[in-house]
Amino acid sequence: FSSVLFLYCLSLPAHASLIVDQNQDLIGGRLATFSPAGLAQSFRQGSNNIAGAGLFLTAAPGFTDTVTLSLWDALPTQTGATRLASASGLAQHDAWLDVFWSPVNLITGHTYFLVFTSENNIFGLAGNRSNPYSDGEAWLTGLNQLPEGDFTFRTYTQVSPVPEPQTLALFGAGLAAVAGLRRRKSPTDDRAAGTTSERDSDQAVFE
């Protein structure tokens, strides 16, 4: 019974969680506007995976636009650069746009790039020119480096799944039930069963 209960508990769902890994949330105004040539932000992820990213957009009240955030292992203009993930969302004025993708394994401490593109190039990208983020920098139109500036951005990582509270509670209740069943089986019952067996054996011999 206990082994069946254990297997059942393992089959119950456990949900992974997404948490913010890198977070540059200082806004000093509009750092750039979208252009066909693309914009980017370099960063170093603290964990070994990335499952999404966010960008703060501004300078287009009353408008919406489709914005794409892509993860690259180098600037797209560099030979051999590879796009690792990409997702799009509907952006609004003065608000975060967060997009998510299946977790991508990264090398902790290695420099990666978020590349930002837009369908209609309506919005501006918020940022700060006082170098608020020490593990990367903004890359402006044509992907030219802006060492003292950073876009207002964040990245997400997926943490390991943990058992749901009801799973742990069920498993604990099952163990308690098994222990209760064992306590109910008294030694007297065992001795009585043994005595009956001995009488039956004696009768079989004399017959």
Side-chain angles (χ1 to χ4, degrees), residues 163-184:
E164 295 182 344
Q166 59 265 34
T167 303
L168 295 176
L170 178 59
F171 187 59
L175 292 178
V178 171
L181 287 174
R182 288 179 177 175
R183 283 197 298 269
R184 290 196 200 100

Side-chain angles (χ1 to χ4, degrees), residues 18-172:
L18 295 181
I19 62 172
V20 173
D21 189 289
Q22 301 297 293
N23 185 30
Q24 194 308 90
D25 58 359
L26 295 180
I27 300 175
R30 182 177 61 184
L31 191 63
T33 55
F34 280 107
S35 72
L39 304 165
Q41 171 73 42
S42 58
F43 70 98
R44 295 189 183 99
Q45 191 82 334
S47 63
N48 63 358
N49 75 79
I50 180 171
L55 181 67
F56 197 90
L57 299 161
T58 186
F63 290 91
T64 59
D65 195 8
T66 299
V67 172
T68 300
L69 281 67
S70 301
L71 173 68
W72 290 73
D73 62 359
L75 285 172
T77 53
Q78 295 178 339
T79 302
T82 301
R83 187 176 67 179
L84 305 176
S86 182
S88 302
L90 192 63
Q92 297 182 346
H93 171 67
D94 276 349
W96 283 96
L97 171 65
D98 291 306
V99 298
F100 303 95
W101 49 70
S102 297
V104 176
N105 292 329
L106 300 182
I107 301 173
T108 303
H110 184 76
T111 297
Y112 293 89
F113 295 83
L114 291 173
V115 176
F116 314 123
T117 56
S118 174
E119 190 173 281
N120 297 308
N121 300 324
I122 294 174
F123 283 95
L125 286 73
N128 194 293
R129 291 181 177 271
S130 62
N131 195 30
Y133 179 70
S134 59
D135 286 331
E137 52 271 330
W139 297 74
L140 302 183
T141 302
L143 299 181
N144 298 306
Q145 187 177 15
L146 182 63
E148 73 279 10
D150 295 288
F151 290 112
T152 302
F153 80 102
R154 58 195 179 195
T155 66
Y156 291 88
T157 186
Q158 179 176 286
V159 297
S160 300
V162 296
E164 295 182 344
Q166 59 265 34
T167 303
L168 295 176
L170 178 59
F171 187 59

